Amino acid sequence: MANTIKASVVQAATAAYSLPDTLDKLERLTRLAKERDGAQLVVFPEAFIGGYPKMSTFSIVMGERRPEGRDEFVRYAKAAIEIPSPAITRIEQVSKELNVFLVVGIIERDGGTLYCTAVFIDPEQGYVGKHRKLAPTALERIIWGQGDGSTLPVLNKTFESAVAPGSSVQAKLSATICWENYMPLLRNYYYTQGTQIYCAPTVDARPAWQHTMTHIALEGRCFVLSACQFAQEKDYPADHPVANAEARDPNNVMIAGGSVIISPLGKVLAGPLLDDEGVISAELDLDDVLRGKFDLDVAGHYARNDVFEFRLREPVGPGSR
């Protein structure tokens, strides 16, 4: 048990595309996780900063883009953040002040292109890396660019033991965003890099998502920390598209949550949290990773490298900056 840390997952939404309000919310919820639960690692949902434009069409039809859709994109792009930027500096300050490692879903603006990105913020080093979503899903492909092999970090982090003060815990962390988790080769890449804490920021609130997260925990023999947004109509601008424009209600649910923490042997340690904003937390005994790999190591003794070959193409592109 000495090889244990405390981790939290935040279930919350962007504050109506307001960057200052969303950063304040990030600080408030990180502080809650730290002060209430002793969190050393906190994971935020996909697109927490910048927002997930649920129900938006950006006025697109095949072969035509309309002026009102371009205007909506302008508003959305202005809510995104750059790396580096004052917003990243603010997140670094929160991380340092509370001594919490943060994994945060953002909408990243790089020139004229937006990316769905997860940033890694270390309390001592500040910003240490990012992962850009490789394959946006469906209409997401209209507003987000594609990541590449230059932003697939598996980061080494030394934590203090949560149960044995003075002892250190070595952990490897990664992030895979929403339906990227259905890409077998991407999962396999992270397994081959030895990920132990597999962060999964998402907006997928379907019951089936719970099965996906459990499968990945069992398959990769890793802890899975899935942070989903919980969003209501009031969390969006007043004119944002909704499921039924004739029945607008600030309390109507747009994204229902389902955040969860699962152990390498498939045990649900916290959650799933549904239909509410909140923070869930659990102790992660990193020795459970080895306990799981005793009988299943898909990057080792269960890999059959004599039969299958796997490799990563490593482009040098703008994502590597």
Side-chain angles (χ1 to χ4, degrees):
M1 287 294 290
N3 208 27
T4 296
I5 69 167
K6 292 185 178 180
S8 295
V9 164
V10 170
Q11 179 162 292
T14 311
Y17 291 174
S18 167
L19 179 58
D21 290 345
T22 303
L23 290 170
D24 288 346
K25 194 172 189 178
L26 178 142
E27 179 173 358
R28 174 175 59 84
L29 292 169
T30 303
R31 190 175 298 277
L32 172 64
K34 177 68 173 185
E35 296 180 351
R36 186 192 70 185
D37 299 334
Q40 300 161 279
L41 166 68
V42 177
V43 182
F44 280 80
E46 176 182 16
F48 178 74
I49 294 176
Y52 188 84
K54 184 72 178 286
M55 303 304 302
S56 287
T57 66
F58 291 87
S59 299
I60 290 171
V61 295
M62 188 68 73
E64 184 176 349
R65 274 72 61 198
R66 296 170 180 163
E68 57 268 31
R70 296 184 187 276
D71 290 341
E72 184 177 4
F73 181 76
V74 168
R75 178 170 71 177
Y76 187 57
K78 287 184 175 180
I81 65 173
E82 297 179 339
I83 302 172
S85 66
I88 293 294
T89 299
R90 173 76 186 282
I91 301 171
E92 290 175 325
Q93 291 168 345
V94 172
S95 173
K96 181 177 181 180
E97 177 186 347
L98 297 174
N99 193 28
V100 172
F101 192 101
L102 294 174
V103 180
V104 184
I106 71 167
I107 301 304
E108 177 194 358
R109 187 176 63 249
D110 187 351
T113 299
L114 306 183
Y115 297 92
C116 183
T117 298
V119 293
F120 300 86
I121 309 293
D122 185 279
E124 297 175 353
Q125 303 177 61
Y127 168 81
V128 291
K130 69 182 178 185
H131 165 59
R132 285 177 172 174
K133 192 174 187 177
L134 285 177
T137 301
L139 197 67
E140 294 173 356
R141 297 178 188 180
I142 301 299
I143 56 172
W144 297 340
Q146 292 184 321
D148 60 31
S150 67
T151 64
L152 300 176
V154 175
L155 300 172
N156 292 292
K157 172 61 182 172
T158 301
F159 295 93
E160 183 177 9
S161 171
V163 296
S167 300
S168 62
V169 177
Q170 303 294 322
K172 290 187 175 184
L173 303 94
S174 62
T176 313
I177 303 170
C178 207
W179 274 27
E180 284 187 315
N181 288 281
Y182 292 121
M183 299 175 70
L185 296 182
L186 178 60
R187 296 200 311 269
N188 189 63
Y189 170 74
Y190 284 126
Y191 301 154
T192 64
Q193 300 305 300
T195 186
Q196 298 168 307
I197 301 176
Y198 183 108
C199 304
T202 189
V203 292
D204 191 336
R206 300 170 305 143
W209 186 252
Q210 302 302 316
H211 304 299
T212 298
M213 296 296 96
T214 299
H215 172 88
I216 291 172
L218 287 167
E219 177 182 67
R221 292 306 202 233
C222 51
F223 289 95
V224 171
L225 280 61
S226 180
C228 187
Q229 288 205 27
F230 172 75
Q232 298 170 287
E233 289 184 12
K234 64 185 178 183
D235 295 311
Y236 289 87
D239 60 346
H240 186 85
V242 296
N244 184 354
E246 303 302 318
R248 285 186 179 270
D249 183 329
N251 294 317
N252 283 344
V253 174
M254 301 277 280
I255 305 171
S259 298
V260 67
I261 301 175
I262 303 175
S263 82
L265 289 175
K267 180 181 179 181
V268 174
L269 303 178
L273 177 62
L274 295 168
D275 297 320
D276 199 6
E277 181 176 290
V279 177
I280 60 173
S281 302
E283 291 188 348
L284 312 184
D285 180 357
L286 274 296
D287 286 344
D288 282 347
V289 173
L290 285 175
R291 292 185 179 101
K293 290 190 176 182
F294 171 67
D295 54 3
L296 180 68
D297 181 2
V298 295
H301 63 77
Y302 229 85
R304 290 305 305 271
N305 293 321
D306 58 323
V307 179
F308 302 105
E309 181 181 8
F310 176 81
R311 67 186 179 92
L312 170 71
R313 295 184 178 182
E314 300 186 53
V316 177
S320 60
R321 292 199 300 268

